[in-house]
Amino acid sequence: MTGRRWLTETAFAHMRMSFEVARVLHAEHGDRHRLDLIENPLFGKVLMLDGATQVTTADEFIYHEMMAHVPLVAHGAAHEVLIVGGGDCGLAEEVLKHPAVARLVQVEIDARVIDFARTHFAEINAAAFADPRFQIEIADGADFVRRTDRRFDIILVDSTDATGPGAVLFTESFHADLRRCLRPGGIVVTQSGVPFVQPDDFTTAMRNLSKAFATTTCYVIAVPTYAGGHMALGWASMDRDPDAPDLATLANRAASLATRYYTPDVHKAAFALPRYIRDARDAAVASRS
Ligand code: SAM
């Protein structure tokens, strides 16, 4: 380890993950975030905001494919999609792989993150920026959903963790506004933390989603960047069953989707929760009233 430099993530109370720094590509204090971009031999480009890892070029496909394709393939005919947050725009590229999507609105609070990602992460977002269906609004996502009269088939909350500007995206009132913005048959998916290392964020996400929606659960993904066990993506709807549709229908709908992590089998399996996560979800949902 002598002579090597390391960048340490400081997002968690009792655990730290460090990335070897092959090169510092950029470091700045923006209006809303401190921003660090480094190159790592294993993860490629690593972007941290305020000491929390947001995206790496080597494993972003896992998080972005699973956040986009699980609800979009399950829905089957989503035309209007909203992303809240999502500054690196890698999620937008996955959403826009679905030809049925007529319009994708992304509401991001920090214009600097978008500009920065456009310059430094073209390999994961160039197709989104070239797509006329993609619209970016610079605003607080909570303000946007409180005021808008637009309605969406799918809403994806690709947020930072539940501190700083991202805290509002874990609140009860935000989830109530999401429900109002959802069309019949709509699905909401939210970044809900790593339950083992962020139990409070996970519990808050599950409890507040379940206060607003008829059905709340989560599905799990394994992302090397988000260390500490499975990451949970919250799933909520007024009128859809997370077990539907069946595997054959998923396979049919996903037949021409180019992916590296998502498969219809993985889609189904992701809803099978390890017992400690299932119990934490159930306890959070039971505590909603
Ligand atoms: N995949 C990442 C993760 O799990 O850590 C999240 C990536 S994305 C870069 C998170 C984005 O959410 C950031 O660009 C941040 O500026 C944005 N964000 C945070 N709070 C927000 C808010 N209240 N409204 C809109 N965007 C917000």
Side-chain angles (χ1 to χ4, degrees), residues 29-63:
H29 263 282
D31 289 347
R32 298 198 175 260
H33 296 292
R34 196 188 83 233
L35 205 144
D36 293 288
L37 180 67
I38 62 151
E39 197 169 287
N40 172 276
L42 183 60
F43 287 91
K45 289 183 219 163
V46 178
L47 174 67
M48 285 194 194
L49 297 181
D50 299 325
T53 310
Q54 300 296 307
V55 68
T56 83
T57 46
D59 72 359
E60 59 82 31
F61 69 97
I62 301 172
Y63 175 88

Side-chain angles (χ1 to χ4, degrees), residues 33 53-54 63 85 87-88 108-109 140-141 158-160 165-166 191 226:
H33 296 292
T53 310
Q54 300 296 307
Y63 175 88
D88 53 75
E108 160 64 50
I109 201 165
D140 182 325
D158 182 14
S159 67
T160 44
Q191 193 275 99
Y226 306 129

Side-chain angles (χ1 to χ4, degrees), residues 129-142:
F129 284 110
D131 194 315
R133 297 173 294 166
F134 186 38
Q135 298 175 4
I136 295 177
E137 303 224 4
I138 302 301
D140 182 325

Side-chain angles (χ1 to χ4, degrees), residues 154-270:
I154 303 287
I155 301 178
L156 307 174
V157 185
D158 182 14
S159 67
T160 44
D161 291 328
T163 54
V168 70
L169 306 181
F170 286 73
T171 61
E172 191 178 339
S173 61
F174 173 66
H175 291 126
D177 289 327
L178 291 185
R179 181 186 60 209
R180 197 179 43 76
C181 292
L182 208 56
R183 287 177 161 177
I187 301 169
V188 169
V189 169
T190 64
Q191 193 275 99
S192 299
V194 174
F196 189 87
V197 291
Q198 298 165 291
D200 294 342
D201 286 3
F202 176 69
T203 295
T204 303
M206 290 295 101
R207 185 192 305 119
N208 287 340
L209 271 177
S210 69
K211 284 182 180 175
F213 291 93
T215 303
T216 295
T217 186
C218 66
Y219 56 100
V220 290
I221 57 177
V223 188
T225 289
Y226 306 129
H230 291 96
M231 169 171 239
L233 298 178
W235 185 106
S237 178
M238 294 307 288
D239 44 20
R240 276 191 192 259
D241 177 353
D243 286 338
D246 62 21
L247 188 58
T249 305
L250 294 179
N252 192 35
R253 289 179 184 167
S256 56
L257 206 53
T259 61
R260 292 171 63 203
Y261 186 94
Y262 177 92
T263 69
D265 291 301
V266 167
H267 178 145
K268 279 279 176 210

